Amino acid sequence: MHHKRSNILVVLIAPSGGGKTTIIRRLLTLKPNLEYSVSFTTRQPRGAEQNKVDYHFITEAEFRQKIADDDFIEHALVHNHFYGTSKKYIQERLDDGKDVIMDIDVQGAKQLLVSGFPAVTIFILPPTLNELGQRLQNRKTDTEEVINLRLRNAREEIKKIKEFDYLVINDTVDQAVEAVGNIMDSERNRVDRYRNTDVIFFGG
Ligand code: 5GP
């Protein structure tokens, strides 16, 4: 019999443009047991984003119905649009022996922690506000007004870093991916994640 560990839910929190998407894509290719929680949102698709892959793009009425049905483990209004995470999806993946990674904002991450759901929270920060502005510009998918709103919100989000477990500075994608991967590996070895270690050890 193998030693059993409970699976981990990893929450990446970062200002928009912080590079989470790239980091997550890379981690998904490196870690076969990891699944991405695709969020629901009322915002419009951006660039080459695909429905059900990047987000489930839904209407505000559909979103409100999901809130009423208690479908979300957390949800928030971010930059004037609703975003939410499916409770069922996460629970099913974890029950199925998968680790799950999600990408949410500060408000959502706090709700998740308050709900008592065990999660490892990692704040991803670009090295400077300037750099964040550059990344949003380079993305060429947002208007100046949207970029300014996102930068204003970033100032508020950064004040909340201390509420989370880990901070990774996203200097380069490679370093950030390695850091997040290392955190996941360490978290997996926490004593409290093992189940019935003694029984298995003694051959039970
Ligand atoms: P974007 O529109 O740039 O994809 O995301 C904007 C912000 O919404 C980012 O900070 C992102 O992490 C956050 N976000 C994405 N999905 C969710 C979600 O399901 N819940 C919450 N609370 N925030 C989300």
Side-chain angles (χ1 to χ4, degrees), residues 12 14-16 20 39-40 43 46 49 55 74-76 78-79 83-85 103-105 107-108 139 150 157:
L12 297 192
S16 179
K20 274 168 308 190
S39 297
F40 290 78
R43 85 151 160 76
R46 201 168 49 211
E49 281 180 338
Y55 281 102
E74 63 74 34
H75 67 273
V78 192
H79 318 308
Y83 294 82
T85 305
D103 146 13
I104 63 178
D105 86 313
Q107 312 165 65
R139 203 153 76 172
R150 285 168 185 255
E157 291 182 345

Side-chain angles (χ1 to χ4, degrees), residues 38-46 49 54-68 72 74-86 103-105 107-108 111 149-150 153:
V38 179
S39 297
F40 290 78
T41 185
T42 59
R43 85 151 160 76
Q44 295 298 311
R46 201 168 49 211
E49 281 180 338
D54 298 286
Y55 281 102
H56 298 275
F57 295 101
I58 61 175
T59 65
E60 202 166 311
E62 287 167 329
F63 200 96
R64 289 189 190 285
Q65 187 58 49
K66 285 187 156 294
I67 297 176
F72 294 127
E74 63 74 34
H75 67 273
L77 184 66
V78 192
H79 318 308
N80 301 330
H81 299 290
F82 287 104
Y83 294 82
T85 305
S86 158
D103 146 13
I104 63 178
D105 86 313
Q107 312 165 65
Q111 279 176 41
L149 172 66
R150 285 168 185 255
N153 289 349

